[in-house]
Amino acid sequence: MFRKNIVRRYIRFYGQVQAVGFRWRATQAAKAYGVSGWVRNEYDDSVSMEIQGTQRQIDDVIASLQRGSYIRIDHMETKELSVDPDERGFSVRYR
């Protein structure tokens, strides 16, 4: 049974987010907090992420990223998406 309090967000991160281990840290945090989704670098030096879990889990992943050495998140754009009830795991995507 799929829990009702699950949400899915598209988040675009801007700042010092490429070449600093952002995708690796995002994957580790996603596994630690039990969320699913994906993360990828964009051509404009931002990073995109789709993340699915409770709002608390998502907030915990973002807080973990903000604590990461070398990572500096200047701002984020967030959009609500439809939940994918079949998604499992978290991965790095490549263009």
Side-chain angles (χ1 to χ4, degrees):
M1 181 174 194
F2 203 66
R3 297 186 334 207
K4 289 191 292 187
N5 59 343
I6 298 296
V7 297
R8 184 176 188 87
R9 303 277 187 261
Y10 171 83
I11 306 171
R12 189 88 170 241
F13 297 91
Y14 297 91
Q16 189 172 330
V17 293
Q18 286 195 19
V20 292
F22 189 99
R23 293 175 299 165
W24 181 85
R25 289 177 191 276
T27 302
Q28 297 306 306
K31 289 177 183 177
Y33 292 107
V35 299
S36 63
W38 54 264
V39 62
R40 81 172 168 229
N41 285 346
E42 299 295 346
Y43 294 119
D44 65 357
D45 295 329
S46 67
V47 174
S48 290
M49 175 188 291
E50 283 193 17
I51 187 168
Q52 181 168 285
T54 66
Q55 188 59 54
R56 173 67 185 262
Q57 288 171 307
I58 293 169
D59 291 344
D60 287 343
V61 169
I62 293 169
S64 178
L65 289 167
Q66 290 173 321
R67 289 190 303 269
S69 300
Y70 308 109
I71 294 172
R72 187 189 76 246
I73 299 170
D74 292 338
H75 70 281
M76 300 178 291
E77 295 174 357
T78 304
K79 182 171 116 177
E80 189 168 341
L81 301 173
S82 297
V83 171
D84 180 352
D86 299 320
E87 182 177 68
R88 303 288 180 266
F90 193 91
S91 64
V92 175
R93 288 193 177 173
Y94 301 92
R95 292 204 152 267

